Amino acid sequence: MSKDEAAPDSPGGTMESGDRTSDKFPADSLSGTVCSVDLSEGGDGISSQGSDSEAAASRVDRFGFLGGNQYTEPTEEAWNIGVMRQRELKWLDMLQNWDKWMPKRYQKIKLRCHKGIPPSLRSRAWQFLSGGALLLAQNSGKFQELDARPGDPKWIEIIERDLHRQFPFHEMFKARGGHGQQDLFRVLKAYTEYRPDEGYCQAQAPVAAVLLMHMPAEQAFWTFVQICDKYLPGYYSGNLEAVQLDGETLAVLLQKVSPPVARHLRKQKVDPVLYMTEWFMCVFSRTLPWACVLRMWDMFLCEGVKVVFRVALVLLRLMLGTSEARKRAPGFYETIELLRSISSRSIQEAWLMDQVLEVEVTEGQIESDRQRQIRRWRETKGEMHPTSTRRRLYGLRNIYEDAGCQVPLMPARPSIIQTDKEIKDSLASPMINRSRREAKEEEKRRKKAEKELEKHQKHEEQAEKKQQRRLSSRLSKGGSKPDEFKNGLRNPQENGKNFEGNSPVAGGGMAGETDDDLDTSHGALDKISPLKFSTSSLLSELSFQETYL
């Protein structure tokens, strides 16, 4: 982004953290792999510190805030203990049987995330949703190894300068050198060792701090790795190319969702990166009321960056959706200031979640436009950094599929129409991202289906023999011989000569006959019995197909 495009006081301005001279960023471009956004505004930066005595005198809200813009009033939300306990029991069952819920009931998990995760289980749920728990199990002891390293002095110095800026009104991070800041330092430093090619970005600190409010440092680190690598790849590297791509995608989606707002921003020449950089990179942790932040993160970790786009579109409509609001922002600076000073008091949790769910933005729309933006970038500006075009995963389902531990959402049922060769060919075909355990389970299912098929065939043979014996017995009692019965099947016209005066009617009988007549007249029995035998076999076969297909 050129100097002329960045406003002196825009949240999208970037610089090295070590070159800060004021609360506003200069219009310089980025240097190296250090990236930063203006995190000193909004009540959590240097200018929002206030007096320590005033903060200490405030009541601690249910989220741990002593004051500031993200302090939640005690009467803001009424707690229904009964409903909360029911949700806790449901989530406990889900987390204890995660391997069973994930393959079959993903939609139910998503619906429960929409309703909000119980606070007592949010730590564990976030780890399962993001795949951080899986990554922790696969890398036992790795965090301790990274934590023990001295770290790059360049990153150490920048991280230490940023620690006191992260949620200074929260009881966990208010004390300089306290346990909260120590754990935050450990997580951020470990990431620079884990991804030395990316290093550290100032916008990573709030994201890591939100995780540390809910879980220990090691669990927070692996969940943080998943967010940086899978949910928002390229957001915290070099020149913020991935953020700029999503900014252009947001502008396209805004044109579809709210054309008047899009026209106003184009008229005032407000580039998306000037107002959405902090929103996206910090995942709204510094913008929304804290109750909204947590609910939004529940959905974000389940469904991916799609939720971030939806929240951004809702906020843009909230601030500039009416003609009166657009009149209050007639120029460039007024529009930027309006978007940067969103009042958290005017946003209610229930209202925001309802609006987010109503926005019709899909993963396919986001990804297709992102690919167009990548092609346009390469045509006009050349190649991009590899991390900026890295494949992005849209939440829970993609995370587990990518990890190779996700079985199909609807397990395939064995089919009786497959031959042995087809089964072997299907098993021999390449299995992308599938574990050996899944292959063994499929082999077991195949063998079980074959045994069931063999068992059913034997049952059919026995039933057929039994039916034939019963029929022969009935014929012998009536005085007919099997040879005569066979001849009747071959020549039905001759078999019905004795009943020329009768004609067929609905129900399988003949006109003028009663039920007793059908039981005692052998000629009619010769006609009806083959029909009964054929129908019985057909119904048995249909029942078998319904069971196994």
Side-chain angles (χ1 to χ4, degrees), residues 363-379:
E363 301 167 3
Q365 289 176 318
I366 296 173
E367 197 58 33
S368 62
D369 192 78
R370 182 170 181 261
Q371 294 302 320
R372 283 197 296 269
Q373 299 299 336
I374 291 175
R375 291 193 295 269
R376 186 180 303 171
W377 182 291
R378 287 172 173 167
E379 292 172 359

Side-chain angles (χ1 to χ4, degrees), residues 150-222:
D152 191 329
K154 176 181 65 174
W155 303 127
I156 297 298
E157 180 184 358
I158 299 173
I159 292 172
E160 288 178 342
R161 283 203 301 266
D162 285 343
L163 293 178
H164 69 280
R165 298 182 180 131
Q166 313 311 320
F167 306 108
F169 286 119
H170 193 275
E171 60 180 355
M172 185 175 179
F173 301 102
K174 64 175 182 173
R176 286 180 178 264
H179 69 92
Q181 292 190 10
Q182 291 179 13
D183 285 346
L184 181 59
F185 174 80
R186 293 172 61 201
V187 169
L188 296 175
K189 187 202 74 172
Y191 187 79
T192 63
E193 293 294 313
Y194 186 76
R195 290 281 185 264
D197 55 326
E198 292 188 19
Y200 166 72
C201 174
Q202 187 183 6
Q204 290 176 313
V207 176
V210 173
L211 296 174
L212 286 170
M213 293 178 191
H214 295 84
M215 59 191 77
E218 184 175 14
Q219 287 83 346
F221 172 75
W222 292 113

Side-chain angles (χ1 to χ4, degrees), residues 131-280:
L134 177 66
L135 208 58
L136 172 61
Q138 294 173 345
N139 296 273
S140 179
K142 182 67 174 180
F143 174 73
Q144 288 75 11
E145 176 190 340
L146 298 172
D147 187 34
R149 297 179 186 177
D152 191 329
K154 176 181 65 174
W155 303 127
I156 297 298
E157 180 184 358
I158 299 173
I159 292 172
E160 288 178 342
R161 283 203 301 266
D162 285 343
L163 293 178
H164 69 280
R165 298 182 180 131
Q166 313 311 320
F167 306 108
F169 286 119
H170 193 275
E171 60 180 355
M172 185 175 179
F173 301 102
K174 64 175 182 173
R176 286 180 178 264
H179 69 92
Q181 292 190 10
Q182 291 179 13
D183 285 346
L184 181 59
F185 174 80
R186 293 172 61 201
V187 169
L188 296 175
K189 187 202 74 172
Y191 187 79
T192 63
E193 293 294 313
Y194 186 76
R195 290 281 185 264
D197 55 326
E198 292 188 19
Y200 166 72
C201 174
Q202 187 183 6
Q204 290 176 313
V207 176
V210 173
L211 296 174
L212 286 170
M213 293 178 191
H214 295 84
M215 59 191 77
E218 184 175 14
Q219 287 83 346
F221 172 75
W222 292 113
T223 305
F224 178 71
V225 168
Q226 288 292 88
I227 292 175
C228 295
D229 291 0
K230 307 297 185 183
Y231 288 80
L232 305 173
Y235 265 44
Y236 307 108
S237 61
N239 295 322
L240 305 182
E241 293 173 342
V243 179
Q244 295 181 57
L245 288 175
D246 280 352
E248 296 301 325
T249 300
L250 178 63
V252 173
L253 295 174
L254 182 63
Q255 178 63 40
K256 298 177 182 178
V257 173
S258 184
V261 178
R263 285 195 300 269
H264 177 81
L265 293 176
R266 286 198 303 270
K267 180 180 178 181
Q268 305 304 331
K269 298 182 180 179
V270 178
D271 193 80
V273 76
L274 299 179
Y275 58 84
M276 55 77 64
T277 302
E278 182 178 345
W279 293 357
F280 279 55

Side-chain angles (χ1 to χ4, degrees), residues 326-342:
R326 292 191 290 273
K327 289 178 181 178
R328 291 195 298 268
F332 174 85
Y333 289 103
E334 292 84 356
T335 303
I336 287 292
E337 187 61 27
L338 181 65
L339 295 177
R340 294 186 63 190
S341 60
I342 296 176

Side-chain angles (χ1 to χ4, degrees), residues 496 499-513 518 527-528 531:
F499 302 92
E500 293 178 356
N502 297 330
S503 58
V505 295
M510 306 294 291
E513 291 182 334
L518 291 176
K527 280 188 169 185
I528 296 171
L531 177 62

Side-chain angles (χ1 to χ4, degrees), residues 25 37 44-45 50 52 55 73 88 157 170 236 262 285 289 301 331 376 400:
F25 283 137
V37 293
D44 288 325
D52 295 337
E73 297 294 340
E88 286 177 343
E157 180 184 358
H170 193 275
Y236 307 108
S285 61
L301 293 175
R376 186 180 303 171
Y400 278 79

Side-chain angles (χ1 to χ4, degrees), residues 474 499 509-510 512-525 528 532:
R474 292 177 62 184
F499 302 92
M510 306 294 291
E513 291 182 334
T514 64
D515 293 341
D516 294 336
D517 294 332
L518 291 176
D519 291 335
T520 57
S521 40
H522 308 311
L525 182 62
I528 296 171
K532 288 184 178 180

